[in-house]
Amino acid sequence: MTALQRSGRLHAAPRPRTPLRAVAPAGSARADWPQLTRRRASLAAGALLFAVVLGGNVSVHASTTQGQFDLERLRDSARQREATYQQLRLEVAELQAPDRIAAEARRMGMVEPAKVTYLTPTPLTSSPDEGPRAGVDELPAEAAQSWGQVKPHLGPRR
């Protein structure tokens, strides 16, 4: 009897064959392929995240630098306007100087009076109770004569 007959395989039905597939040895790169795919994906995601964070950082720094340039430009403009303001204040002070006003008046033909008369209000010419025209009808005779002399020199009313 042969070995095949003893084992009973001679007349046994053949087993169904499973499709063959290639299996890489345990130490080869093909055996770790699903793990390598996950590693590559996580490395790619990490690199993408790093690039996004780096781009955001560069964008923030560029924006900050642009803001600093704008601030410096505004400060320069403020300094220039402050200098212009001070120059204009100096011009106004020079134009308001009494000596300049007197010189301009002389240039226009005005002369200084020989005598200065200061007017003081009296109860006849002004009264706080009756308004601005109080006492006009009650002027003394000499005031009425003065008014008659002054009125023609005032010119027509506008």
Side-chain angles (χ1 to χ4, degrees):
M1 216 167 163
T2 63
L4 284 176
Q5 289 176 346
R6 277 188 246 145
S7 66
R9 287 184 128 212
L10 186 61
H11 298 296
R15 287 191 322 195
R17 291 187 159 213
T18 57
L20 296 177
R21 67 182 178 151
V23 177
S28 73
R30 289 262 177 187
D32 297 334
W33 189 74
Q35 290 178 353
L36 284 177
T37 304
R38 280 189 226 122
R39 282 185 196 156
R40 286 181 185 157
S42 64
L43 283 174
L48 181 64
L49 180 64
F50 177 75
V52 168
V53 168
L54 185 65
N57 193 9
V58 168
S59 173
V60 166
H61 281 289
S63 175
T64 302
T65 303
Q66 184 64 39
Q68 288 173 344
F69 283 131
D70 291 343
L71 182 62
E72 190 60 34
R73 182 180 48 81
L74 289 173
R75 283 182 181 160
D76 288 342
S77 175
R79 281 187 214 108
Q80 182 181 14
R81 290 174 191 241
E82 181 70 25
T84 303
Y85 174 72
Q86 292 299 332
Q87 181 64 33
L88 291 174
R89 283 191 59 177
L90 177 64
E91 286 180 33
V92 166
E94 289 172 352
L95 291 173
Q96 288 178 343
D99 293 338
R100 192 208 66 85
I101 292 174
E104 186 68 21
R106 281 190 295 275
R107 188 188 67 78
M108 292 172 68
M110 295 180 149
V111 293
E112 291 186 32
K115 179 182 170 195
V116 177
T117 305
Y118 293 99
L119 303 176
T120 56
T122 64
L124 293 176
T125 58
S126 64
S127 174
D129 296 337
E130 296 181 20
R133 293 204 33 97
V136 171
D137 296 333
E138 304 167 10
L139 289 175
E142 64 185 55
Q145 286 177 342
S146 300
W147 175 250
Q149 293 171 352
V150 172
K151 187 174 180 182
H153 298 288
L154 294 178
R157 290 187 123 178
R158 294 182 189 164

